[in-house]
Amino acid sequence: MLHYLLKRLMSLILSLAVASMVIFAVIEVAPGDPASFMLGTGAQEDTVAALRSELGLDQGKVSRYLTWVGGMLTGDFGTSYTYRTPVAEMVGERLWVSLPLALYALTLSTLIALPAGIYAAARRGKAGDMAVMGATQLGVAVPNFWFAMLLVLVFAINLRWFSAGGFVGWDKGLWAGLHALTLPAVALALPQAAILARVMRSALLEVLGEDFMRSARAKGLSQRQAIRRHGVRNALIPVLTIIGLQFSFLLAGAIIIEQVFYLPGLGRLVFQAISARDLIVVESVVMLLVFAVILVNFLVDLTYAVVDPRLRRAA
Amino acid sequence: MSLLDISGLTLSIGALPILRDVTLSIAAGEILAVTGESGSGKSMTALAVMRLLPQAAATRGAVYLEDEDLCALSEDEMCQRRGRDIGMVFQEPMTALNPVMTIGAQVMETILIHTETSTADAQAEAARVLTRVGLPPERFPLDRYPHELSGGQRQRAVIAMAIALRPKLLIADEPTTALDVTTQAQILDLLRDLVREYGMGLMIITHDLAVVAGLADRIVVMRKGEVVERGPTMSVLTHQRHPYTRMLFEASRHAVTLPAAPAAPAPLLEVREAVRDYTTPRKGWLGKPGRFRAVNNVSFTLHKGERLGLVGESGCGKSTLTRALLGLEELQGGELLLNGQPLSQQRSPAERQAMQVVFQDPYGSFNPRHRVERLVTEPFHLSPDAPMGRARQDLVAQVLEDVGLSAADAQKYPHQFSGGQRQRIAIARALITRPELILFDEAVSALDVSVRARILDLIADLCDAYGLTYLFISHDLSVVREVCDRVLVMQKGEIVEQGPVEDVFTAPKHAYTQTLLAAAPVLPDITPTEPLETPA
Amino acid sequence: MNRSLFLGGLLSGIMLLLAIASFVWTPFDHAVMNIPDKLQTPNATHWLGTDHFGRDILSMVMVGARTSLAVALLAVGIGVGLGVPLGLAAAATRGSWLDEVIMRGNDLVFAFPSLVIAILITAVFGPSATNAIIAIGIFNIPVFARVARGGSLSLWAREFILTARVAGKSRARISAEHILPNIANLLIVQGTIQFSLGILAEAGLSYVGLGAQPPTPSWGRMLAEAQTLVSLAPHLAIVPGLAIILTVVGLNLLGDGLRDRFDPRLMEGRA
């Protein structure tokens, strides 16, 4: 178990290191000098040079990479080229919208998809299965941001159950915050739930064909008991992988959905930064997103060890 | 009155008839063997009793357990019978247990779903049952997971699950087919003891007549969904009234006539102190990677014209050795010589053509997308003197005819052939370069006995026609005895005994060989005296 | 021919035809603005209505289909072209450092959702449809590599591969001759899935301005422009949305149909 854990941890650190190098290298390729961009076209050469040295741009690539990574490890993400404020502050604020949104959607998607997938698999080929599969066939095809627009049209503009956009902030209380994120989370979650339900169904169907399911039936378990006690847990192993992958889709999706609901999340920040060529903000947000994805997949790996004893003891 | 009475059981799946009018019965304390080749419907009969058939199955007839017709019960009522009144053991112990649940929990489950027992009591009872089947909690704690047990131990756990509530009837579907011969003997002993101790009825499904002969009180022979013969085991085996029974019996101890081995042998393949190690995963974070020696200091010589057997149980290293001989695995030590010349890892086309192989699985041996002509000529790859055009076609036609197929088969795809025919194609592929040596790697192990007998005949014929030299790798002692002149016995990576087959089989010297031979079930030496029953 | 295959082929075929037809004919010029005719609901002249500039929506949808299909198809091409060889190589050298490097690299690319790749590329090179192709294409590489490797591994354990090795065939040759044809079905099915995911991803990227730029019409951009008008003229959002859904459903059904068709168990039944 410890061996497995350490191995995963090493691979987590390695992935983060390589990912940060890739991001840094890509941003390095960007044409133009941030300092001259910030000061505008009419700036004096010595002012530009002064700013370059203030931003650390006059140092070598390796030393700047190390400064950047070292800064991030201590919570210093640098200073925004356009706003001249610490990036960490800007990102921190926005993260509290995007991350809860993605997690909310992940929770919803899992809560809807697993029962639906199990239900469909248990009724393979029957009407219930057909209905679930039909719904998921449609669900996987719906672009989440389009679905979000429909939700706004129906629940915000016509029914007025939710506001059409904006975010009240968490200081208004957990409930108000969740309420404001509900429509975006539903829009994000349903298409993902459709995918996850399909995965759950096919994983369970595969397990239902296994010999040990027949052994369970031979003991006297009913089909339903056998699925509950022996099927689901075995089927969860492939499903977990997909849940881990879904988090990255949901985080990316959250960034898009924020545009529909005018939410002050990472999405708005990064798109503004792109048009303002505020590369240090882009760099930090991208690194943060990648970090979140890698971290979640690490957590999924740990969950494997809980679900699957073969990993626990073999290591 | 009998315990189980099946009468007029007819079963079809969709339009496909599976069973026709099957009638049989088992008394309490009796062992009934249901035997036959694949497709005989013997497993379906077992599943029909359990009512665990595929959904599309339609049945007619009656299955009485004591005085209750199981076919008339509702699914809920049937669930109460399964596990409590009837237990079942399956063929594949590696997959029959839930991999994410402890063996203790799996045995307890049988007890908990049928009785009002507290968890603690169920646990104590599970420990008792596991002890009874040979898995005492001192050595095999209840919180062991299936992957921590060997195949034989898993089969014991499966048996524990099935007998935890002392069912009236136990059904065992090929319970030892996936096991090694020594493990098989232990599991069969266990089953026999349990029947005696609990007074259960046991219905054992097996294709192996030798197992039947040593275990069953009565026997039912099935073919294509019908019962062709039934009766007390000894009576059926001595009289063999039905032609199919007689064919099965003869095929099971099929004797072939090998041409005499050359009198003045010259060495063809020499294996000198071969060693093959594998690294195993590190133990702990800082531990060194372990080392597993699959082949340990193996030396032997195979002479021209000789038929050498290699026997051993799974994991003994015989597959690794085979792969090393073929150049598919590197040796860490020792050397291989062919005709006195050392064989390197990178072999020349001529060296490759000199040594060919026939594998076990007639279904996995061919690329399903290629025609037979392309399949059998694959050994000519990179060969500078491979026949082309007309000569190549003639050669393909020739080998196909030599293995009992026809020249026209060259244009067919592998799926158009039966298992036995595919094995003939595999032999044709091995023959086409006229190799000096052929390795038969469990080449007849996946075949039904009747098919196996014909393939063994073919191999004997080819010994004449092609002057074959071969190494016959098998776990099946009786087959090796038939088709080999000399035999090597392998255990834990080492060759523990070698010698002429008759000597080794009649007077084994090494303790392991003695164990193997003692464990292998044998058919009684019977020659049926009565005339065949003429089918009405 | 099963039902999914038929329906899926039909839907995807229609969308493809619309995209191709748009090169030679559209009901109106998709770029011509006609303010007096703006925001018309579907009618006899403008079958699917007009937008806030009076442009014909059907024409825009047809031309937009080009962008969506081309981006998604090229992205699949990148994924297959790079991912499949990598996957085959990883399987052929299972357990070696090469396999390890390829699989670790795969995991790493999985950590970059296509949106994140698009953000990076756009930040450096500015927005364009090409960015979308590259971003989605890069995301496709590990997907195909994984499918190719997974499908190949079980084949490498099969005995017909062993006999090919006994015959002296190299791993590269075995991969091309024996492995690839036997995983082609898997790859085709995955291709249709990635194609449909590509359509969705392209729409999302164009919607947030990281994909096709004006004046190139695309379904995602049509939706972005429709957003502020959605309460006023819902059809502006509904029509391109339905175009996306129909295409994606079509491709997914096609994939399901092909999977059923290729199912080895069904093949065995036919034999």
Side-chain angles (χ1 to χ4, degrees):
Chain A
M1 180 68 185
L2 186 69
H3 175 60
Y4 175 80
L5 219 151
L6 285 171
K7 212 170 129 186
R8 291 288 110 199
L9 199 64
M10 285 294 285
S11 128
L12 167 86
I13 292 166
L14 191 71
S15 303
L16 285 176
V18 178
S20 66
M21 282 180 225
V22 170
I23 293 167
F24 183 80
V26 171
I27 293 290
E28 278 298 300
V29 181
D33 175 42
S36 7
F37 188 85
M38 282 163 74
L39 293 168
T41 38
Q44 299 282 320
E45 238 171 72
D46 53 339
T47 349
V48 175
L51 184 61
R52 281 178 60 82
S53 106
E54 186 195 324
L55 294 173
L57 290 173
D58 53 345
Q59 291 169 26
K61 287 186 198 305
V62 177
S63 114
R64 272 188 299 123
Y65 169 73
L66 292 177
T67 317
W68 177 58
V69 172
M72 279 193 302
L73 290 176
T74 54
D76 174 12
F77 286 57
T79 309
S80 157
Y81 296 158
T82 38
Y83 297 101
R84 311 299 290 269
T85 49
V87 176
E89 264 174 43
M90 298 166 66
V91 170
E93 238 169 70
R94 309 305 187 93
L95 195 60
W96 280 106
V97 179
S98 301
L99 202 58
L101 175 55
L103 289 174
Y104 190 0
L106 188 68
T107 314
L108 279 182
S109 151
T110 311
L111 287 181
I112 297 166
L114 298 194
I118 294 168
Y119 173 86
R123 279 165 189 69
R124 179 183 203 173
K126 295 184 185 151
D129 181 26
M130 303 287 214
V132 172
M133 289 311 281
T136 59
Q137 188 68 262
L138 194 64
V140 295
V142 173
N144 49 26
F145 62 94
W146 180 77
F147 186 48
M149 286 161 74
L150 288 195
L151 290 180
V152 169
L153 191 62
V154 175
F155 293 101
I157 297 175
N158 289 334
L159 296 174
R160 299 184 175 278
W161 291 354
F162 296 90
S163 75
F167 184 61
V168 290
W170 292 107
D171 41 358
K172 292 271 191 300
L174 179 70
W175 195 243
L178 282 182
H179 187 258
L181 290 183
T182 296
L183 277 193
V186 169
L188 267 178
L190 284 189
Q192 293 297 320
I195 298 177
L196 195 58
R198 294 187 141 234
V199 173
M200 182 73 223
R201 174 182 179 270
S202 61
L204 189 52
L205 283 181
E206 193 140 307
V207 171
L208 292 187
E210 297 275 353
D211 284 353
F212 64 79
M213 291 302 289
R214 202 177 48 178
S215 307
R217 299 277 284 127
K219 271 184 203 175
L221 269 67
S222 67
Q223 178 72 5
R224 191 174 293 195
Q225 284 173 314
I227 288 177
R228 203 176 58 228
R229 297 161 83 140
H230 296 272
V232 173
R233 189 154 161 213
N234 278 284
L236 271 184
I237 295 167
V239 169
L240 267 176
T241 316
I242 303 297
I243 291 180
L245 283 179
Q246 286 215 326
F247 180 75
S248 82
F249 287 116
L250 287 171
L251 205 55
I255 283 171
I256 295 180
I257 289 273
E258 283 165 13
Q259 302 300 105
V260 182
F261 292 93
Y262 306 100
L263 293 175
L266 289 174
R268 209 188 311 163
L269 178 68
V270 80
F271 293 128
Q272 279 166 354
I274 289 177
S275 40
R277 299 200 54 74
D278 198 345
L279 292 184
I280 190 153
V281 172
V282 175
E283 196 174 35
S284 305
V285 172
V286 166
M287 189 62 223
L288 203 66
L289 292 176
V290 170
F291 172 72
V293 172
I294 292 178
L295 185 71
V296 165
N297 283 296
F298 171 70
L299 295 177
V300 167
D301 280 345
L302 296 193
T303 325
Y304 275 145
V306 176
V307 177
D308 191 342
R310 283 164 290 191
L311 282 178
R312 225 181 299 154
R313 298 233 185 145
Chain B
M1 196 190 84
S2 23
L3 171 68
L4 180 77
D5 247 312
I6 302 180
S7 58
L9 184 66
T10 299
L11 166 65
S12 58
I13 295 178
L16 192 70
I18 304 289
L19 298 178
R20 245 183 60 197
D21 200 19
V22 171
T23 299
L24 58 84
S25 67
I26 303 176
E30 181 185 49
I31 301 178
L32 174 80
V34 180
T35 190
E37 295 185 292
S38 42
S40 63
K42 53 192 193 301
S43 289
M44 280 295 170
T45 308
L47 290 175
V49 174
M50 290 298 276
R51 294 220 357 229
L52 287 176
L53 292 163
Q55 277 193 344
T59 51
R60 269 187 301 123
V63 177
Y64 276 92
L65 183 70
E66 292 182 328
D67 45 9
E68 185 174 63
D69 184 2
L70 298 179
C71 290
L73 295 180
S74 72
E75 175 57 25
D76 281 348
E77 289 166 330
M78 195 61 214
C79 281
Q80 292 167 20
R81 307 298 184 276
R82 292 190 201 112
R84 195 191 68 195
D85 296 340
I86 318 172
M88 185 153 181
V89 176
F90 298 95
Q91 171 172 354
E92 197 35 84
M94 303 316 263
T95 53
L97 291 163
N98 183 345
V100 302
M101 209 165 160
T102 62
I103 53 167
Q106 296 192 56
V107 176
M108 279 164 65
E109 191 174 37
T110 309
I111 301 165
L112 288 171
I113 52 175
H114 289 293
T115 57
E116 303 284 326
T117 314
S118 71
T119 315
D121 289 349
Q123 191 164 0
E125 182 59 27
R128 260 197 298 281
V129 176
L130 282 165
T131 308
R132 176 63 196 89
V133 300
L135 299 175
E138 306 87 71
R139 284 171 52 221
F140 303 95
L142 294 180
D143 63 354
R144 284 284 169 90
Y145 285 94
H147 71 270
E148 297 168 300
L149 304 178
S150 72
Q153 289 161 356
R154 289 188 207 192
Q155 196 64 304
R156 288 174 191 273
V158 173
I159 292 173
M161 265 164 42
I163 60 145
L165 292 174
R166 298 190 171 216
K168 299 168 190 157
L169 174 68
L170 182 65
I171 301 175
D173 185 1
E174 302 273 6
T176 58
T177 305
L179 303 174
D180 278 326
V181 52
T182 46
T183 320
Q184 160 166 297
Q186 293 161 8
I187 295 290
L188 293 177
D189 282 344
L190 173 64
L191 287 174
R192 191 186 292 118
D193 291 350
L194 287 170
V195 167
R196 213 169 287 151
E197 191 178 321
Y198 293 180
M200 298 186 291
L202 172 63
M203 175 172 173
I204 182 167
I205 316 288
T206 177
H207 68 282
D208 190 338
L209 278 184
V211 167
V212 174
L215 180 72
D217 301 317
R218 285 194 308 124
I219 177 172
V220 164
V221 182
M222 289 184 72
R223 184 185 59 174
K224 291 181 184 158
E226 288 182 86
V227 173
V228 296
E229 187 163 359
R230 79 186 82 227
T233 304
M234 270 350 262
S235 148
V236 169
L237 291 184
T238 33
H239 300 309
Q240 300 174 25
R241 289 192 189 84
H242 194 277
Y244 181 72
T245 313
R246 188 166 294 190
M247 188 281 292
L248 268 187
F249 193 82
E250 276 164 9
S252 297
R253 50 167 197 179
H254 185 70
V256 298
T257 332
L258 288 178
L268 174 64
L269 175 76
E270 290 164 77
V271 178
R272 293 188 185 155
E273 291 163 4
V275 171
R276 173 72 179 130
D277 285 334
Y278 291 110
T279 47
T280 55
R282 293 163 193 273
K283 286 212 161 66
W285 180 241
L286 295 170
K288 278 188 184 157
R291 181 167 279 195
F292 171 68
R293 182 152 285 191
V295 175
N296 186 9
N297 213 6
V298 164
S299 302
F300 65 89
T301 304
L302 175 55
H303 298 98
K304 282 196 177 116
E306 188 182 31
R307 280 82 43 150
L308 183 62
L310 174 60
V311 297
E313 295 182 294
S314 54
C316 74
K318 58 187 194 300
S319 310
T320 309
L321 181 60
T322 310
R323 284 156 163 263
L325 295 180
L326 289 167
L328 299 176
E329 301 236 9
E330 235 167 312
L331 287 176
Q332 268 89 34
E335 57 176 347
L336 306 175
L337 287 88
L338 189 68
N339 286 317
Q341 299 298 312
L343 278 174
S344 63
Q345 183 64 26
Q346 287 305 317
R347 301 204 173 158
S348 70
E351 284 168 344
R352 289 184 185 284
Q353 285 177 26
M355 206 190 288
Q356 292 294 325
V357 62
V358 178
F359 286 114
Q360 169 177 9
D361 180 9
Y363 293 91
S365 289
F366 304 106
N367 186 334
R369 288 163 193 282
H370 292 172
R371 291 178 197 276
V372 168
E373 175 163 21
R374 184 164 175 192
L375 295 170
V376 299
T377 52
E378 189 165 44
F380 281 127
H381 176 69
L382 293 181
S383 162
D385 51 359
M388 296 316 255
R390 187 74 216 162
R392 193 179 184 109
Q393 285 173 17
D394 288 346
L395 186 60
V396 169
Q398 169 79 51
V399 286
L400 286 178
E401 280 164 11
D402 285 349
V403 298
L405 298 170
S406 75
D409 290 333
Q411 297 310 315
K412 292 187 187 163
Y413 287 97
H415 67 78
Q416 292 170 282
F417 297 91
S418 69
Q421 287 172 321
R422 289 191 212 204
Q423 215 53 340
R424 287 173 191 265
I425 299 172
I427 293 173
R429 171 170 60 190
L431 287 174
I432 198 161
T433 59
R434 295 216 157 237
E436 294 183 81
L437 169 62
I438 296 183
L439 306 187
F440 289 101
D441 186 0
E442 299 278 5
V444 296
S445 303
L447 304 174
D448 274 328
V449 281
S450 55
V451 181
R452 186 178 76 188
R454 275 175 262 137
I455 295 290
L456 292 177
D457 282 340
L458 172 67
I459 292 174
D461 290 347
L462 292 170
C463 281
D464 266 336
Y466 281 75
L468 288 188
T469 304
Y470 57 75
L471 180 64
F472 196 99
I473 300 111
S474 180
H475 70 281
D476 189 333
L477 303 167
S478 61
V479 170
V480 168
R481 188 172 187 173
E482 283 305 324
V483 295
C484 296
D485 309 312
R486 211 154 57 84
V487 63
L488 312 170
V489 181
M490 201 163 174
Q491 183 199 19
K492 291 180 186 158
E494 294 180 45
I495 293 190
V496 295
E497 180 161 3
Q498 54 179 305
V501 279
E502 279 318 307
D503 297 358
V504 172
F505 279 79
T506 48
K509 293 190 184 67
H510 193 275
Y512 177 69
T513 318
Q514 291 164 358
T515 319
L516 270 188
L517 285 169
V522 279
L523 274 176
D525 196 7
I526 297 168
T527 314
T529 45
E530 292 193 24
L532 282 176
E533 186 181 70
T534 35
Chain C
M1 190 93 158
N2 57 47
R3 220 170 41 191
S4 307
L5 197 60
F6 175 75
L7 202 61
L10 190 71
L11 271 177
S12 338
I14 289 174
M15 286 299 169
L16 193 65
L17 277 181
L18 279 181
I20 294 170
S22 74
F23 283 103
V24 288
W25 176 84
T26 50
F28 292 85
D29 185 336
H30 72 273
V32 169
M33 302 188 189
N34 186 3
I35 307 290
D37 286 349
K38 69 175 183 176
L39 296 179
Q40 286 186 9
T41 48
N43 58 54
T45 328
H46 296 284
W47 291 355
L48 297 177
T50 58
D51 73 353
H52 52 299
F53 292 124
R55 293 176 293 191
D56 180 56
I57 291 182
L58 175 58
S59 306
M60 290 175 76
V61 165
M62 284 174 69
V63 180
R66 265 191 239 166
T67 318
S68 294
L69 294 176
V71 168
L73 195 61
L74 288 170
V76 169
I78 293 176
V80 172
L82 294 173
V84 172
L86 285 173
L88 288 175
T93 58
R94 177 181 200 175
S96 72
W97 62 269
L98 182 66
D99 181 22
E100 187 71 10
V101 167
I102 292 174
M103 291 325 286
R104 292 285 136 234
N106 249 348
D107 290 348
L108 190 71
V109 179
F110 263 129
F112 288 82
S114 47
L115 179 80
V116 171
I117 303 175
I119 287 174
L120 267 180
I121 302 176
T122 309
V124 176
F125 301 107
S128 72
T130 320
N131 287 355
I133 297 173
I134 297 174
I136 303 168
I138 291 179
F139 183 77
N140 279 342
I141 295 172
V143 174
F144 282 100
R146 219 164 248 219
V147 171
R149 180 176 182 271
S152 309
L153 281 184
S154 58
L155 288 173
W156 273 100
R158 295 269 295 270
E159 292 176 343
F160 73 88
I161 301 296
L162 288 179
T163 55
R165 289 177 60 200
V166 171
K169 290 186 174 166
S170 69
R171 288 175 182 274
R173 166 128 193 200
I174 290 174
S175 293
E177 181 180 315
H178 288 303
I179 306 280
L180 190 58
N182 280 302
I183 61 166
N185 297 343
L186 281 179
L187 295 175
I188 290 170
V189 170
Q190 194 64 40
T192 63
I193 294 171
Q194 293 312 114
F195 194 2
S196 72
L197 288 177
I199 302 266
L200 286 172
E202 191 277 335
L205 292 179
S206 303
Y207 171 76
V208 294
L210 299 177
Q213 296 299 303
T216 316
S218 85
W219 293 341
R221 270 212 20 258
M222 291 174 73
L223 288 171
E225 288 169 10
Q227 191 176 336
T228 46
L229 301 160
V230 73
S231 55
L232 206 62
H235 71 279
L236 288 188
I238 290 172
V239 171
L242 286 181
I244 296 171
I245 293 174
L246 288 179
T247 314
V248 173
V249 167
L251 286 167
N252 284 339
L253 285 176
L254 188 65
D256 286 355
L258 289 172
R259 190 194 319 250
D260 289 350
R261 178 118 203 208
F262 292 149
D263 192 323
R265 281 162 288 186
L266 302 180
M267 301 265 272
E268 210 51 52
R270 236 185 297 160

